[in-house]
Short mmCIF file of all heavy atoms in Angstrom, two decimals:
data_model
loop_
_atom_site.label_atom_id
_atom_site.label_comp_id
_atom_site.label_asym_id
_atom_site.label_seq_id
_atom_site.Cartn_x
_atom_site.Cartn_y
_atom_site.Cartn_z
N ILE E 204 -4.77 2.74 9.30
CA ILE E 204 -5.49 2.49 10.56
C ILE E 204 -4.76 3.16 11.70
O ILE E 204 -5.28 4.00 12.41
CB ILE E 204 -5.66 0.99 10.82
CG1 ILE E 204 -6.35 0.28 9.66
CG2 ILE E 204 -6.45 0.76 12.11
CD1 ILE E 204 -6.34 -1.23 9.78
N HIS E 205 -3.54 2.72 11.93
CA HIS E 205 -2.64 3.29 12.97
C HIS E 205 -1.22 3.26 12.44
O HIS E 205 -0.89 2.47 11.55
CB HIS E 205 -2.70 2.46 14.26
CG HIS E 205 -3.92 2.65 15.06
ND1 HIS E 205 -4.14 3.75 15.88
CD2 HIS E 205 -4.99 1.84 15.26
CE1 HIS E 205 -5.28 3.62 16.50
NE2 HIS E 205 -5.82 2.49 16.15
N TYR E 206 -0.39 4.09 13.01
CA TYR E 206 1.01 4.08 12.63
C TYR E 206 1.87 4.37 13.85
O TYR E 206 1.39 4.85 14.89
CB TYR E 206 1.29 5.05 11.49
CG TYR E 206 1.14 6.49 11.85
CD1 TYR E 206 2.22 7.29 12.18
CD2 TYR E 206 -0.10 7.11 11.81
CE1 TYR E 206 2.08 8.63 12.49
CE2 TYR E 206 -0.26 8.45 12.10
CZ TYR E 206 0.84 9.20 12.46
OH TYR E 206 0.67 10.54 12.77
N SER E 207 3.16 4.10 13.68
CA SER E 207 4.13 4.33 14.77
C SER E 207 5.45 4.82 14.16
O SER E 207 5.91 4.28 13.18
CB SER E 207 4.36 3.03 15.54
OG SER E 207 5.46 3.15 16.42
N VAL E 208 6.04 5.84 14.81
CA VAL E 208 7.30 6.37 14.31
C VAL E 208 8.47 5.89 15.17
O VAL E 208 9.62 6.31 14.96
CB VAL E 208 7.29 7.90 14.23
CG1 VAL E 208 6.24 8.37 13.22
CG2 VAL E 208 7.03 8.52 15.61
N GLY E 209 8.19 5.01 16.08
CA GLY E 209 9.26 4.41 16.90
C GLY E 209 8.67 3.73 18.11
O GLY E 209 7.47 3.89 18.43
N ALA E 210 9.50 2.97 18.81
CA ALA E 210 9.04 2.26 20.00
C ALA E 210 8.45 3.22 21.01
O ALA E 210 9.02 4.29 21.30
CB ALA E 210 10.19 1.47 20.62
N GLY E 211 7.26 2.87 21.49
CA GLY E 211 6.55 3.69 22.47
C GLY E 211 5.74 4.82 21.90
O GLY E 211 5.08 5.55 22.65
N ILE E 212 5.75 5.00 20.58
CA ILE E 212 5.05 6.11 19.96
C ILE E 212 4.07 5.57 18.91
O ILE E 212 4.49 4.92 17.93
CB ILE E 212 6.01 7.08 19.27
CG1 ILE E 212 7.12 7.54 20.22
CG2 ILE E 212 5.27 8.28 18.70
CD1 ILE E 212 8.25 8.29 19.56
N THR E 213 2.79 5.81 19.12
CA THR E 213 1.79 5.41 18.11
C THR E 213 0.83 6.56 17.89
O THR E 213 0.69 7.47 18.74
CB THR E 213 1.00 4.17 18.57
OG1 THR E 213 0.23 4.49 19.76
CG2 THR E 213 1.92 3.00 18.84
N ASP E 214 0.12 6.52 16.78
CA ASP E 214 -0.85 7.56 16.46
C ASP E 214 -1.93 6.99 15.57
O ASP E 214 -1.70 5.95 14.92
CB ASP E 214 -0.20 8.77 15.85
CG ASP E 214 -0.99 10.06 16.09
OD1 ASP E 214 -2.17 9.98 16.54
OD2 ASP E 214 -0.47 11.13 15.80
N GLN E 215 -3.05 7.68 15.54
CA GLN E 215 -4.16 7.21 14.74
C GLN E 215 -4.04 7.64 13.28
O GLN E 215 -3.52 8.67 12.98
CB GLN E 215 -5.49 7.76 15.29
CG GLN E 215 -5.79 7.28 16.69
CD GLN E 215 -7.11 7.86 17.20
OE1 GLN E 215 -7.70 8.75 16.60
NE2 GLN E 215 -7.58 7.31 18.32
N GLY E 216 -4.56 6.78 12.42
CA GLY E 216 -4.64 7.10 11.00
C GLY E 216 -6.04 7.49 10.62
O GLY E 216 -6.75 8.13 11.41
#
Side-chain angles (χ1 to χ4, degrees):
Chain E
I204 304 171
H205 285 284
Y206 67 98
S207 168
V208 297
I212 306 169
T213 63
D214 206 347
Q215 296 181 350

